[in-house]
Amino acid sequence: MSNFSNQIRASTSLVRRLKRSIGAATQARSFTTTEGHRPTIVHKRSLDILHDPWFNKGTAFSVTERDRLDLRGLLPPNVMSADQQIERFMVDLKRLQVQVRDGPSDPYALAKWRILNRLHDRNETMYYKVLLANIEEYAPVVYTPTVGLVCQNYSGLFRRPRGMYFSAEDRGEMMSMVYNWPADQVDMIVVTDGSRILGLGDLGVQGIGITIGKLDLYVAAAGINPQRVLPVMIDVGTNNEKLLKDPLYLGLQQQRLEGDEYLSVIDEFMEAVFTRWPHVIVQFEDFQSKWAFKLLQRYRNTYRMFNDDVQGTAGVAIAGLLGAVRAQGRPMIDFPKQKIVVAGAGSAGIGVLNAARKTMARMLGDTETAFDSATRQFWVVDAKGLITEAREDIDLDALPFARKLKEVDRQGLHEGASLVEVVEQVKPDVLLGLSAVGGLFSKEVLEALKHSTSTRPAIFAMSNPTKNAECTPEEAFSIIGENIIFASGSPFKDVDLGNGDVGHSNQGNNMYLFPGIGLGTLLSGSRIISDGMLQAAAECLASYMTEEEVLKGIVYPPISKIRDITKEVAAAIVKEAIEEDLAEGYREVDARELKKLSQSQEELLNYVQNNMWVPEYPTVVYKED
Ligand SMILES: NC(=O)C1=CN([C@@H]2O[C@H](COP(=O)(O)OP(=O)(O)OC[C@H]3O[C@@H](n4cnc5c(N)ncnc54)[C@H](O)[C@@H]3O)[C@@H](O)[C@H]2O)C=CC1
Ligand SMILES: CC(=O)C(=O)O
Ligand SMILES: [Mg+2]
């Protein structure tokens, strides 16, 4: 344990291969006669048929065919005609041609994604080998920012299905549908309902792209076996008017289910996956805020699940915020003195606020007074401006952070004050954006931040993808000056400050935590994912950065180190699960043995490392069923 981590503890008492063998040995025979008279006889079902270019019809399989061939849930729900399929393909092809001529950047990224995606479909070992060896170059393609563009264009890009689709039409069927997935063991599921994909809003069924991107990182960073990951899309409809009217949209064309109807679908899904795979871990991803918190509360004490946007983001933000304190040359225990303005009070913003307040309060002694005092360090601005107790219909999750009217009055502020006004008056140490509004940290806002009382103001422009970042590092360094800390959710290049120095652009993204949270939970065999485990993950990330790096303004590791940091985070999770008596062991390592090996950090790290899948070809032998 590093000094830094000890300091935290002391000062705060912080305290798939998919069963491709199915049918592989069976040979398909086809008796082709006059079209429409005799059926084609196949000796394959399920994914094998979708992966067979001779018999695959993709989205054109009829509902009855889907039932006969065990395809329910393996395809998006909307059945397409062959003409529609061709139209969709041509629209996509022509759009790409036009865009290649007119503007190179997006199509280039999409073209790279397509090439990688085809490799993913042909050869997973090679795909992950390529990804891992070039993670700095390709993470931005398979993950943010390009994955956002992929989701926006998914109906056009869709070729081969990957993952499972559970739709509102599948109610009552999910318990049997889960058996259509060919893998008997699934370790990690990433699920979305597509309601808030990155900062791009409701993308309906097209949101499956983000679950695939996140699971790519699970394999690359955490070494989760690719045969044991499952991307899931729960299609309860969409409120995206454009998609509702689009004849080529692949999802259910109805308004989203709400209330108990919505909950019953998610409940049924959870029950089904945990019945088939009792040890699976489910990561909720990009659910709109109004459901993110409710679902987390509903399931977190019963199932092995977490919400990445609420909890993963919070941990990453805490690590960065602590790094920003150290970068000022101050002890980390000064964190509770930081004045923090947060723009955005959705699932991510509120998640960060709750966790940051808790960390401060612990540092101050964990009393009620400490909690109150910590709360006063935050000013929250949403679409309606500064949140105060005068806000009508205030969101219950934001209520604890509503500023008292008397206080804001003294500060020359008021209910609904603009972000510029707030930054001008508060002169914060940190300006953190999780608003999904690109350019929100305008010239005026950044000018106002020049008057920060901090010796080294920190700007966290965390919204994704790139175009939604609240500001760019060039803007931040050029307007505020060299002596700042900058982090963004999607990657930006470092800034050449013109004097031989570099302005570091950190990537503050939950990718530094979620793979380790999943891996650590798996290897500990913990029944649930506790706050303590998440706190341990955040502390581990914070302590990963050396004093020298932090003083240079580097508060997050480079993505090239993602496997290493993930291993450390996983070990921290395992250790905490053992301490909280939640660990039940993994495979042949039972709880007692786990406890024993966790006495030595080296042994614990070896245990984690030895359980990480590596993309190397195994020797393949054939055996008849
Ligand atoms: N860097 C990272 O690791 C992560 C980044 N994010 C990003 O955070 C963003 C927000 O995600 P959610 O909280 O789930 O979304 P959300 O839609 O629930 O919340 C957005 C919030 O921003 C506020 N907002 C809108 N316009 C604003 C304005 N002009 N000024 C101030 N606030 C404004 C809204 O009122 C709302 O409170 C997304 O872009 C997402 O990509 C989310 C999770 C992780
Ligand atoms: C990074 C992430 O989870 C998001 O932007 O939603
Ligand atoms: Mg997310």
Side-chain angles (χ1 to χ4, degrees), residues 369-529:
T369 323
F371 225 69
D372 287 346
S373 162
T375 310
R376 286 198 295 276
Q377 298 305 112
F378 301 94
W379 286 260
V380 189
V381 178
D382 70 357
K384 296 178 181 160
L386 178 67
I387 302 182
T388 70
E389 57 187 12
R391 175 73 63 98
E392 278 168 22
D393 298 328
I394 189 163
D395 188 339
L396 284 183
D397 298 311
L399 184 61
F401 299 97
R403 301 292 306 197
K404 293 211 169 12
L405 276 178
K406 263 190 190 160
E407 259 172 25
V408 290
D409 196 40
R410 262 200 316 271
Q411 289 170 334
L413 290 169
H414 53 92
E415 161 60 35
S418 71
L419 185 60
V420 193
E421 287 177 284
V422 174
V423 175
E424 268 169 359
Q425 298 305 323
V426 175
K427 303 183 180 24
D429 300 272
V430 181
L431 177 58
L432 190 149
L434 282 162
S435 65
V437 181
L440 182 68
F441 298 169
S442 61
K443 187 164 184 290
E444 292 71 28
V445 171
L446 294 174
E447 291 280 1
L449 195 58
K450 274 167 128 171
H451 306 290
S452 160
T453 45
S454 169
T455 54
R456 204 168 185 183
I459 299 97
F460 288 79
M462 294 183 75
S463 292
N464 297 311
T466 313
K467 70 181 177 61
N468 293 64
E470 283 79 6
C471 70
T472 66
E474 286 83 6
E475 290 162 348
F477 282 101
S478 67
I479 297 172
I480 310 174
E482 294 175 16
N483 204 26
I484 60 167
I485 299 297
F486 180 85
S488 55
S490 297
F492 281 95
K493 288 198 166 60
D494 287 341
V495 176
D496 181 351
L497 297 173
N499 54 2
D501 286 344
V502 167
H504 283 283
S505 183
N506 296 278
Q507 189 174 1
N509 190 293
N510 50 29
M511 69 183 179
Y512 285 117
L513 285 188
F514 72 77
I517 294 171
L519 180 65
T521 304
L522 179 76
L523 299 183
S524 68
S526 178
R527 296 184 294 273
I528 55 156
I529 300 174

Side-chain angles (χ1 to χ4, degrees), residues 357 360-374:
R357 176 173 68 156
M360 281 186 183
R362 281 175 173 157
M363 288 178 167
L364 293 169
D366 226 1
T367 60
E368 211 174 303
T369 323
F371 225 69
D372 287 346
S373 162

